[in-house]
Amino acid sequence: MPRMGFRVGVLALQGAVARHADAVRLAGAEPVLVRRPQELAEVDALILPGGESTAMTKLLGVSELAEPLAERLGAGMPAFGSCAGLILLAAGLEPPDGRTRNYGAIDIIARRNAFGRQVDSFEEELDVPELGPEPARAVFIRAPWVVRAGPGVRTLATVAADGAAEPRIVAAKQGNILVTAFHPELTTDIRWHSLFLSMARSSSRC
């Protein structure tokens, strides 16, 4: 029997997996928890939640998802990475740490723990024209930021950082890849997930 609906995988190795799945459901798609290669093969798009990027790299290897994920991303699967997910989808890290796999799905260079450690976590209202006129509440927990973005990357949101001459990029998209340095799943605002679904569905029709 053919399956119905658009299926969005949530990488279920670390992070607020259930909160992402709830947001996907509210945004109008079927969430699928992805822990094994066969589950990854059955989804139309994938969310990579927050967590700890080096631990997630190890867990991807242990679960035998590392290479299937690289293959799906290389074949154009839409993906949304929040916090550690941003780091995994990035082209690289500055400084490089040699322990985190970067899948190069989006042309950005990221910095881990850029805003500080756990005690430096904060929330901020972001101006995000892509989401409409209402500000978006963002929860930053040991968050990265984007150090550099390639010419094909569209910046969606920035945050002023202490001592920085320019605001830091904390949300961006390129093609069917969306990344946020913060945790949209920890708020009741599903606009980021709705934006990702719109991007993913559009690319599936191309």
Side-chain angles (χ1 to χ4, degrees):
M1 179 182 295
R3 61 182 174 83
M4 303 297 291
F6 195 84
R7 306 186 82 194
V8 177
V10 181
L11 187 64
L13 303 179
Q14 254 195 346
V17 174
R19 298 289 293 269
H20 272 296
D22 289 344
V24 167
R25 192 176 292 107
L26 289 170
E30 178 187 354
V32 176
L33 302 188
V34 173
R35 298 185 180 92
R36 298 174 297 178
Q38 53 266 46
E39 293 158 347
L40 178 62
E42 295 172 355
V43 300
D44 301 296
L46 183 68
I47 293 174
L48 290 78
E52 206 285 322
S53 56
T54 57
M56 290 178 74
T57 295
K58 292 178 182 177
L59 291 169
L60 283 164
V62 169
S63 60
E64 299 183 338
L65 278 165
E67 296 315 316
L69 176 57
E71 291 171 7
R72 288 295 312 272
L73 290 171
M77 177 182 64
F80 172 17
S82 63
C83 197
L86 175 152
I87 293 170
L88 293 174
L89 292 176
L93 286 174
E94 185 180 288
D97 69 1
R99 299 174 297 154
T100 301
R101 180 158 182 176
N102 303 112
Y103 284 86
I106 182 169
D107 187 14
I108 60 172
I109 302 298
R111 177 167 294 161
R112 298 177 70 240
N113 301 325
F115 289 99
R117 308 300 295 180
Q118 189 83 18
V119 295
D120 301 306
S121 301
F122 65 99
E123 296 186 21
E124 182 135 342
E125 299 282 344
L126 302 180
D127 179 26
V128 190
E130 190 92 7
L131 300 184
E134 294 297 321
R137 192 72 175 169
V139 179
F140 292 84
I141 304 172
R142 296 182 63 188
W145 66 42
V146 176
V147 178
R148 293 192 301 278
V153 176
R154 179 173 177 179
T155 296
L156 301 181
T158 61
V159 166
D162 291 343
E166 298 181 358
R168 296 299 188 179
I169 299 170
V170 293
K173 69 175 184 177
Q174 182 179 25
N176 59 14
I177 305 296
L178 174 66
V179 293
T180 62
F182 46 89
H183 294 264
E185 77 282 4
L186 298 184
T187 74
T188 58
D189 189 348
I190 65 166
R191 287 180 293 168
W192 290 104
H193 293 81
S194 296
L195 172 61
F196 176 57
L197 285 182
S198 176
M199 294 165 55
R201 285 176 167 139
S202 294
S203 70
S204 71
R205 292 193 291 266
C206 293

